[in-house]
Amino acid sequence: MNGDDSRLHSRILLVDDEPGVVISLKRYLEMKGAVILEAGNGLEALEILRRDTVDIVLTDRNMPGLGGQELLQEIRRQWPNIDVLLMTGLSSVQNAVEVMRLGAADYIEKPVDLPATYSILKRVEANRKIRLERDRLKAEVALRELSQVITSNLHMSDLPDRIAQLIVSTFKAGDVTIQYRFADVDDESIFWRSPGLPTELDESEQLLVVEAQSRGEIVQQEMGPRWLACIPLLSDRRTRGYLLITRTLENGAFDAQQLDLLKVMASHVNVALENAHLYHVATREMRSTQQLTEIGRRLNSRLDMENTLDEIHAGIRSFVNCEYTAVIHLDRSVHELTIELRGRSRPDAQLQNELREHFDERVTRINDAQFHWQTRRFNGRYEYYNEVSGRVRFQSWVPLSDSYGIFGLMGVIRLAGENFSQLEVRNFMLLSSSVSSALQNSLLFTSQRRLHLETVQVLSKSIDEKDHYTHGHSAQVAAIAVKVARAMGLGEEELIELRLGGLMHDLGKIGIRDAVLNKPGKLNPDEYSHIKTHPLIGAKILERAPHLHHLIPYVRHHHERWDGAGYPDGLRGEAIPLAVRSLSIADVFHAMASDRIYRKGMEVDKILRILRNESGRMFEPRMVDKFLDLWDKGVINQDDINFDPASETAG
């Protein structure tokens, strides 16, 4: 709800069986800035609410079938965060009180007074904004409190009760059930219920838990006199337990914002329970904990891959007595699997073959679509080069994972003696988190180094062939596109990619003949066809650099049009990625505003008129509106046209 305070900023659903009322309200409210959806009766309205986002429902009270009053009650039950206004021809204080008692935000008298309706909607918007901000602040407070619970309550005896109290106070919940099975001990778990509840789940609760855990997502359902929601607790992509929360019918179902908050809180609860359990285990072995902390500190101080691997193997050997340590890791950026074996003595040929068979066996057990490679290499380093023979007697392995899944394994191998102790295995597993993080940091560092090198190679070729103008234009277009895309809601990672795509978008012009590219006059048809090949040329260039493949859409599609009349692929509408749409409008804007060899840059007012005229044809209407709004607010301004790429340091 930003921008001009005189305009409406809501998505409003109009529900009335009188088309004339809907048409007049729709025209007037759209002129005031609202986005309008229409329904002819209460049943149609419910269908729209199930599939679309709505802020306010403006409904007639008396309609055939499902009337406005019944619709209000259903909205209050299923979507309590939507504001409802009832339109009625009965005007009295008693009527107003009755409408408010039913849960309406306000009422509007019929025949509808358009200015009065606008004033009421502005008031509802203001109250809604305050309420949503209050809910947001309440959510932040709840998360802070939960963080405090996590950091200050490491004793399992009172942690579930503290978590339940926080959930009850945050969500106006009734009862809470927490069930959790710890990741490292199969037979150790907790089952906690609010005081007064039966010691076991009833059949309906069990069915809801099974559904939530099988789907891996929140499930809520109305059961008798209550709403019941089940939130699965996940660890390493495995379901470890659940939160079961009840609410009264009066408080209604959890809305979308509350469900999102529950997901975040569930992850915090997961961490809280695991931390408490780990604390319980770690207090019995304080020296080992201190040792692991020191190893983790050293690992986090390393970026170079060889130094990181040295620290990993030294760390493992410091608390696990073994002949060999192994780290298998996948560099997804180049699809290369590396096997690192370290030990005191060099294994002879027979033992080395046996070790490699064990490596292959472990790797093939990883069932993860992300875990694939094109090349493999083996590195072995030993303290002494006298050969040792024997057979693998005991081995222990733990997976190494990141947000995409498993990317490697860490193993210890013993040729003689007793099996690994529980303490050794526990510490080995605890170390895997630090090892995963350290390896990912090193892989990222290596990848970035490689990325910079390859990017410089690609760009240097274009610089050799073309003048500085193309780079300056690309940098300015990238900066404008990022501003538009940020306002359209893209996240920071997407914006970083968009900036790179903007810098690369005209890369294909290195393959365009200079006589065409720098022609001081109008291009003939053959020349125009030739210059239209630059998106495909640029895409072909990027195909040679695997780590830049994600930038190909920006290079290939920045001349596509919303109406499908663009090139080279004739993409239409939503088929054009949102970030590329922001790049296209930025490219056209800057091209028209810039001086060219054959003309001076246009006046901005004229350019903005062209953008308006091209809304729905060349550009997505939403994108044009956002661009014009950013210009009006000064977010995009004359400096973006006269931008000096050498001064650009941030996104």
Side-chain angles (χ1 to χ4, degrees):
M1 299 184 185
N2 301 318
D4 187 353
D5 288 341
S6 67
R7 294 179 65 78
L8 295 170
H9 305 281
S10 299
R11 294 175 63 84
I12 300 174
L13 174 59
L14 299 179
V15 190
D16 201 313
D17 59 340
E18 298 181 42
V21 174
V22 174
I23 291 172
S24 62
L25 275 171
K26 176 182 172 67
R27 289 176 179 172
Y28 181 78
L29 296 179
E30 284 183 337
M31 182 180 66
K32 291 295 186 179
V35 176
I36 301 300
L37 295 85
E38 307 172 37
N41 55 58
L43 293 177
E44 286 183 16
L46 290 177
E47 287 299 316
I48 292 173
L49 290 171
R50 291 187 184 103
R51 67 174 186 264
D52 213 328
T53 300
V54 174
D55 302 315
I56 299 172
V57 174
L58 182 56
T59 178
D60 188 22
R61 184 169 186 173
N62 297 313
M63 293 181 294
L66 186 70
Q69 186 168 316
E70 293 80 7
L71 175 61
L72 167 62
Q73 292 172 336
E74 191 63 25
I75 292 174
R76 293 269 59 79
R77 190 178 71 84
Q78 295 195 53
W79 303 282
N81 214 29
I82 295 177
D83 292 300
V84 181
L85 286 78
L86 284 179
M87 295 185 289
T88 176
L90 303 175
S91 176
S92 69
V93 173
Q94 181 179 358
N95 186 58
V97 171
E98 174 66 13
V99 167
M100 298 302 187
R101 187 188 66 79
L102 292 172
D106 212 326
Y107 75 99
I108 294 172
E109 298 178 18
K110 277 192 167 184
V112 175
D113 182 327
L114 295 177
T117 300
Y118 164 76
S119 298
I120 292 172
L121 286 169
K122 286 299 293 182
R123 184 169 63 249
V124 170
E125 277 195 340
N127 292 336
R128 177 181 179 84
K129 183 176 181 180
I130 293 171
R131 184 178 75 245
L132 293 178
E133 179 64 15
R134 184 185 62 233
D135 291 345
R136 185 188 67 80
L137 292 174
K138 185 176 180 181
E140 290 183 358
V141 170
L143 290 177
R144 276 200 303 271
E145 290 179 358
L146 185 55
S147 296
Q148 292 175 355
V149 169
I150 292 173
T151 56
S152 62
N153 288 265
L154 291 174
H155 296 285
M156 195 61 68
S157 57
D158 63 352
L159 183 59
D161 184 63
R162 289 292 305 277
I163 292 171
Q165 290 175 14
L166 187 58
I167 291 173
V168 169
S169 63
T170 302
F171 298 100
K172 297 180 181 178
D175 298 313
V176 177
T177 300
I178 302 173
Q179 190 276 333
Y180 197 82
R181 180 173 57 83
F182 296 107
D184 61 342
V185 182
D186 291 339
D187 60 352
E188 187 170 345
S189 63
I190 63 168
F191 183 78
W192 184 96
R193 306 201 81 184
S194 294
L197 289 179
T199 56
E200 296 181 353
L201 302 180
D202 62 32
E203 184 176 355
S204 61
E205 291 171 333
Q206 291 175 2
L207 290 174
L208 194 68
V209 168
V210 170
E211 181 181 0
Q213 292 187 331
S214 63
R215 291 167 57 178
E217 60 185 31
I218 296 177
V219 176
Q220 64 173 332
Q221 186 175 336
E222 183 179 351
M223 293 186 176
R226 61 180 179 167
W227 278 95
L228 192 62
C230 184
I231 305 95
L233 299 175
L234 307 175
S235 176
D236 293 331
R237 297 185 174 186
R238 295 178 59 188
T239 301
R240 293 292 176 189
Y242 57 83
L243 295 173
L244 201 62
I245 307 172
T246 67
R247 287 182 70 170
T248 63
L249 294 181
E250 180 181 356
N251 286 329
F254 295 96
D255 60 35
Q257 183 178 3
Q258 291 170 332
L259 291 175
D260 288 340
L261 179 57
L262 276 172
K263 292 178 184 177
V264 176
M265 293 188 73
S267 67
H268 285 305
V269 168
N270 199 76
V271 172
L273 294 173
E274 286 289 350
N275 283 351
H277 177 64
L278 292 176
Y279 175 80
H280 172 69
V281 173
T283 51
R284 296 178 300 185
E285 306 293 344
M286 185 60 70
R287 181 178 299 176
S288 298
T289 301
Q290 292 172 341
Q291 187 178 14
L292 287 169
T293 302
E294 177 59 20
I295 294 170
R297 185 193 64 77
R298 293 201 302 270
L299 286 174
N300 288 328
S301 67
R302 300 288 187 265
L303 282 177
D304 180 79
M305 181 59 76
E306 282 302 311
N307 290 337
T308 299
L309 288 167
D310 287 342
E311 287 290 350
I312 291 172
H313 289 283
I316 297 172
R317 292 275 294 276
S318 68
F319 58 79
V320 179
N321 181 23
C322 59
E323 279 77 19
Y324 297 101
T325 59
V327 175
I328 302 173
H329 62 89
L330 174 67
D331 186 346
R332 293 192 180 97
S333 65
V334 292
H335 304 292
E336 181 178 71
L337 184 70
T338 301
I339 302 170
E340 297 279 352
L341 180 69
R342 305 287 173 89
R344 292 189 175 91
S345 301
R346 179 185 178 91
D348 63 16
Q350 182 178 349
L351 178 57
Q352 192 168 136
N353 288 335
E354 182 182 353
L355 289 171
R356 292 193 180 192
E357 289 176 4
H358 285 295
F359 299 155
D360 290 341
E361 178 186 2
R362 295 289 171 175
V363 166
T364 55
R365 289 185 188 180
I366 297 176
N367 184 21
D368 189 331
Q370 295 284 342
F371 196 87
H372 63 276
W373 64 92
Q374 295 172 356
T375 60
R376 174 191 292 209
R377 62 191 180 98
F378 179 90
N379 293 324
R381 288 176 58 183
Y382 315 103
E383 296 175 19
Y384 309 104
Y385 276 82
N386 54 308
E387 291 192 345
V388 171
S389 61
R391 295 190 61 82
V392 174
R393 183 170 175 81
F394 303 106
Q395 55 183 316
S396 180
W397 295 84
V398 294
L400 303 173
S401 60
D402 58 11
S403 57
Y404 297 100
I406 295 175
F407 73 92
L409 296 166
M410 181 172 68
V412 287
I413 296 163
R414 185 174 287 171
L415 303 181
E418 300 294 327
N419 202 351
F420 301 106
S421 68
Q422 184 178 2
L423 175 60
E424 288 177 315
V425 173
R426 183 189 304 128
N427 286 339
F428 184 56
M429 294 177 67
L430 290 174
L431 183 62
S432 65
S433 176
S434 296
V435 169
S436 296
S437 176
L439 282 174
Q440 284 302 304
N441 288 339
S442 295
L443 286 169
L444 179 60
F445 177 75
T446 303
S447 178
Q448 286 177 333
R449 227 169 22 183
R450 185 166 55 240
L451 173 65
H452 287 310
L453 177 61
E454 293 174 351
T455 301
V456 167
Q457 291 172 339
V458 171
L459 291 177
S460 66
K461 292 179 181 179
S462 66
I463 293 171
D464 288 341
E465 297 185 41
K466 301 297 171 184
D467 61 20
H468 184 69
Y469 168 79
T470 300
H471 173 260
H473 166 73
S474 296
Q476 293 168 77
V477 168
I480 297 171
V482 166
K483 291 181 179 182
V484 176
R486 179 178 286 117
M488 294 292 290
L490 265 69
E492 288 304 315
E493 290 300 320
E494 295 171 298
L495 295 178
I496 292 172
E497 180 179 286
L498 170 59
R499 176 168 295 282
L500 290 173
L503 292 172
M504 295 283 197
H505 79 281
D506 271 339
L507 182 63
K509 287 186 178 179
I510 66 174
I512 302 300
R513 297 191 298 272
D514 287 345
V516 174
L517 195 60
N518 298 314
K519 184 177 180 180
K522 185 176 180 180
L523 301 177
N524 62 41
D526 288 342
E527 291 168 336
Y528 185 58
S529 296
H530 175 54
I531 205 166
K532 284 172 64 177
T533 63
H534 78 270
L536 292 175
I537 294 172
K540 286 286 187 182
I541 292 172
L542 291 187
E543 286 174 2
R544 302 181 196 134
H547 69 281
L548 294 178
H549 282 182
H550 63 290
L551 301 181
I552 290 177
Y554 301 93
V555 175
R556 185 181 182 103
H557 299 312
H558 68 279
H559 280 295
E560 304 288 358
R561 291 171 50 113
W562 183 253
D563 61 6
Y567 63 88
D569 298 316
L571 298 185
R572 177 190 298 271
E574 298 288 342
I576 309 169
L578 177 62
V580 177
R581 285 176 248 157
S582 70
L583 176 63
S584 298
I585 195 169
D587 187 29
V588 171
F589 171 79
H590 188 267
M592 290 191 291
S594 304
D595 292 338
R596 293 297 176 93
I597 192 171
Y598 53 87
R599 63 157 172 80
K600 294 288 290 182
M602 294 183 190
E603 294 292 329
V604 171
D605 288 345
K606 181 178 180 180
I607 298 172
L608 298 181
R609 286 197 299 273
I610 292 173
L611 295 183
R612 290 189 188 96
N613 291 337
E614 291 298 329
S615 177
R617 293 187 296 184
M618 182 176 288
F619 308 114
E620 176 189 7
R622 239 179 6 129
M623 193 72 66
V624 174
D625 293 342
K626 185 62 66 176
F627 189 97
L628 297 176
D629 181 53
L630 293 175
W631 180 266
D632 290 340
K633 293 176 180 176
V635 177
I636 299 173
N637 52 56
Q638 196 68 34
D639 290 341
D640 290 297
I641 301 172
N642 304 323
F643 173 72
D644 178 7
S647 68
E648 178 70 358
T649 58

